[in-house]
Amino acid sequence: MKNSILGAIYLSLAASIWGGMYVISKYVLGFVPPFTLLWLRYAIAFAFLFGIWHFTSRSKARPYRLSWKTIQRLAWIGFIGYFVSVGTQFVGTKLSDAHTGALLTSASPTFVILFARLFLREPLTWKKVSALLLSTGGVLIVVGWGNHQGNSFLGELFLLAAAITWALLTVSVRQAAKHHSPLTTTTFALGFALIMTTPLMFWEILNTKLSWSANPTLLGGGILYLGLVATAAAFFLWNKGMELIEAGIGSLFFFFQPVVGAFLGWLLLGEELRWNFFFGGSFILLGVLLATVDPRTLFRRRIE
């Protein structure tokens, strides 16, 4: 029970950070192209986490060594999750719109539950399915179904690929948790993703006209926040949470992203919150509670 609560806290924090990062990303992306920003995020996050990993590994009696099998496992996580999934989400959102991006990438928990059944042998229960339906319904209510403006089938394919590959990332992280700490997994998976993103970053810089009209303090602070908080901290929290909770249940916390994003849009950007935010948000919360809280355990504790 304690692990479930801690895992829920870690995953809630990670999803909330990602939901809120779009407010800052919106400003930074006005001056820095997307894959260049992604490279900067990964470079800052990797440097920060590697420093922590190196310090903690040196303090142990036996230094940690990366075997060839470990390198393959972590390179796969970096490739399928931090390179392919995030990259296809960037491209898909550009070809369609942010609204469609939020809608289609929120399908990721559905694929996580299916992949967790196939690869991790996690049970597919009515409780999980009911929680998934409740949370999915909540997302549809919050972001709407027919309000998007993009009409690109190719963009929607990219966004669907982002949802599927993020599900593969979640299952792979759960598998890696049996062999490595969340710090090791996050650090080196980001390192591999940084290497893979480098050619795209150089291509983008050579083919994009950069704008230098930004406030240096705001731009630098935004990039640091995206690297340290939205990447290093959030990815570590997500991987730590997945170590403590089944992948199928943990994936439901992904639904907090659009809710937090809408709330911060209201708080910081003056965007309007309508009835669908509160109604849909309650559906998401009920779905997560149904998946993570066992009423019988709470009732038993109350009797004791």
Side-chain angles (χ1 to χ4, degrees):
M1 185 67 179
K2 183 181 178 182
N3 282 350
S4 297
I5 293 173
L6 283 174
I9 292 171
Y10 293 141
L11 294 171
S12 299
L13 285 172
S16 298
I17 290 170
W18 289 328
M21 79 174 183
Y22 296 109
V23 176
I24 296 173
S25 296
K26 190 174 182 179
Y27 174 79
V28 177
L29 283 169
F31 307 97
V32 182
F35 282 104
T36 304
L37 177 59
L38 186 63
W39 187 89
L40 289 170
R41 283 177 57 187
Y42 288 170
I44 293 168
F46 175 71
F48 177 73
L49 290 175
F50 183 79
I52 297 174
W53 178 87
H54 182 67
F55 177 78
T56 54
S57 64
R58 283 186 62 187
S59 63
K60 295 178 181 178
R62 294 181 61 187
Y64 186 88
R65 298 185 183 277
L66 296 178
S67 66
W68 175 240
K69 193 171 184 179
T70 297
I71 291 172
Q72 289 177 306
R73 187 182 294 119
L74 299 182
W76 164 253
I77 292 173
F79 170 73
I80 200 66
Y82 304 151
F83 178 66
V84 175
S85 184
V86 177
T88 51
Q89 187 176 6
F90 268 149
V91 175
T93 302
K94 185 175 181 179
L95 291 176
S96 54
D97 57 78
H99 187 95
T100 309
L103 196 62
L104 286 177
T105 53
S106 67
S108 185
T110 305
F111 295 110
V112 172
I113 289 177
L114 294 175
F115 292 154
R117 175 65 184 146
L118 289 172
F119 302 122
L120 302 177
R121 303 300 178 194
E122 291 184 3
L124 185 62
T125 64
W126 282 108
K127 187 177 178 181
K128 282 184 185 177
V129 174
S130 301
L132 177 66
L133 291 175
L134 266 175
S135 299
T136 303
V139 170
L140 293 178
I141 293 171
V142 170
V143 302
W145 179 260
N147 299 326
H148 62 280
Q149 299 174 348
N151 195 27
S152 169
F153 178 67
L154 182 60
E156 291 171 356
L157 285 180
F158 272 106
L159 290 169
L160 186 60
I164 294 172
T165 49
W166 186 263
L168 286 171
L169 162 73
T170 301
V171 172
S172 300
V173 165
R174 178 72 178 171
Q175 290 175 320
K178 301 174 183 177
H179 309 281
H180 319 293
S181 70
L183 180 60
T184 298
T185 300
T186 310
T187 301
F188 288 97
L190 279 172
F192 286 116
L194 175 65
I195 295 170
M196 297 168 192
T197 311
T198 300
L200 288 174
M201 181 268 293
F202 279 120
W203 175 84
E204 196 173 55
I205 288 177
L206 292 174
N207 291 275
T208 304
K209 187 177 180 180
L210 301 178
S211 173
W212 303 102
S213 60
N215 182 310
T217 303
L218 287 177
L219 184 62
I223 292 172
L224 278 175
Y225 174 85
L226 291 172
L228 294 176
V229 180
T231 305
F235 283 167
F236 172 78
L237 288 168
W238 185 262
N239 293 345
K240 181 65 178 177
M242 281 299 163
E243 182 186 40
L244 303 174
I245 292 183
E246 284 187 4
I249 294 175
S251 66
L252 297 175
F253 288 88
F254 197 74
F255 288 124
F256 281 146
Q257 285 194 70
V259 176
V260 173
F263 174 74
L264 289 178
W266 166 78
L267 185 66
L268 301 176
L269 302 177
E271 296 177 354
E272 185 181 358
L273 288 183
R274 299 183 179 181
W275 65 269
N276 59 320
F277 170 81
F278 301 99
F279 192 51
S282 64
F283 269 60
I284 294 171
L285 184 60
L286 282 173
V288 171
L289 287 174
L290 176 63
T292 55
V293 177
D294 188 349
R296 293 172 299 179
T297 304
L298 294 176
F299 183 69
R300 195 180 304 123
R301 286 190 172 188
R302 188 168 294 179
I303 292 177
E304 293 172 356

